[in-house]
Amino acid sequence: MINFLSMIVGTIILIFVYLKTWAITLQEHVDFTKKKTYIFIMFMIVSILFINLFITSSLKLILVFLAGIITCSFIFESNLHQKVMTVFFVQMLFVASELIFVYASYY
């Protein structure tokens, strides 16, 4: 039970870090006055939780990337190409930071 709760809290924190990083990269802001923002935040939280619980590790990165593109597409106003590149760039930053953390904790 505590493992599941920590997964939920971690996912929520991760989503808001994604949103902030996307907003900085796209030079826009997240409009929390719109209902669709909250709907897509919930979509992202639920999809990442299901991906982490039920999908094998080889597909996780691709599915989180697709969920990120869907969420970013509906929350921000930029063109689709910028949104896809932003999600890809942020995803690669997270992968690189995770690899650095694992490498640093290994040695």
Side-chain angles (χ1 to χ4, degrees), residues 77-95:
E77 301 294 325
S78 301
N79 65 31
L80 184 61
H81 181 264
Q82 286 178 323
K83 292 180 222 180
V84 171
M85 293 306 295
T86 297
V87 172
F88 179 76
F89 173 71
V90 170
Q91 194 75 21
M92 290 301 107
L93 280 177
F94 276 70
V95 168

Side-chain angles (χ1 to χ4, degrees), residues 45-98:
I45 290 170
V46 169
S47 64
I48 287 182
L49 282 174
F50 278 119
I51 289 168
N52 284 331
L53 289 173
F54 299 115
I55 305 297
T56 61
S57 62
S58 60
L59 290 175
K60 282 183 184 180
L61 188 63
I62 295 169
L63 293 176
V64 169
F65 177 72
L66 292 175
I69 289 174
I70 292 168
T71 303
C72 189
S73 294
F74 285 99
I75 291 179
F76 295 104
E77 301 294 325
S78 301
N79 65 31
L80 184 61
H81 181 264
Q82 286 178 323
K83 292 180 222 180
V84 171
M85 293 306 295
T86 297
V87 172
F88 179 76
F89 173 71
V90 170
Q91 194 75 21
M92 290 301 107
L93 280 177
F94 276 70
V95 168
S97 67
E98 202 169 315

Side-chain angles (χ1 to χ4, degrees), residues 1-79:
M1 182 68 182
I2 291 181
N3 189 20
F4 185 70
L5 287 176
S6 66
M7 186 181 292
I8 291 173
V9 171
T11 301
I12 291 170
I13 292 169
L14 181 69
I15 298 305
F16 283 103
V17 171
Y18 273 140
L19 287 174
K20 183 65 176 173
T21 312
W22 292 340
I24 290 170
T25 306
L26 290 171
Q27 297 176 346
E28 294 184 26
H29 70 280
V30 180
D31 189 7
F32 287 107
T33 60
K34 295 182 180 179
K35 258 191 207 180
K36 74 175 185 177
T37 302
Y38 292 104
I39 291 170
F40 282 101
I41 288 173
M42 286 305 298
F43 163 75
M44 189 79 171
I45 290 170
V46 169
S47 64
I48 287 182
L49 282 174
F50 278 119
I51 289 168
N52 284 331
L53 289 173
F54 299 115
I55 305 297
T56 61
S57 62
S58 60
L59 290 175
K60 282 183 184 180
L61 188 63
I62 295 169
L63 293 176
V64 169
F65 177 72
L66 292 175
I69 289 174
I70 292 168
T71 303
C72 189
S73 294
F74 285 99
I75 291 179
F76 295 104
E77 301 294 325
S78 301
N79 65 31

Side-chain angles (χ1 to χ4, degrees), residues 95-107:
V95 168
S97 67
E98 202 169 315
L99 289 174
I100 291 169
F101 180 74
V102 168
Y103 182 75
S105 65
Y106 184 72
Y107 291 106

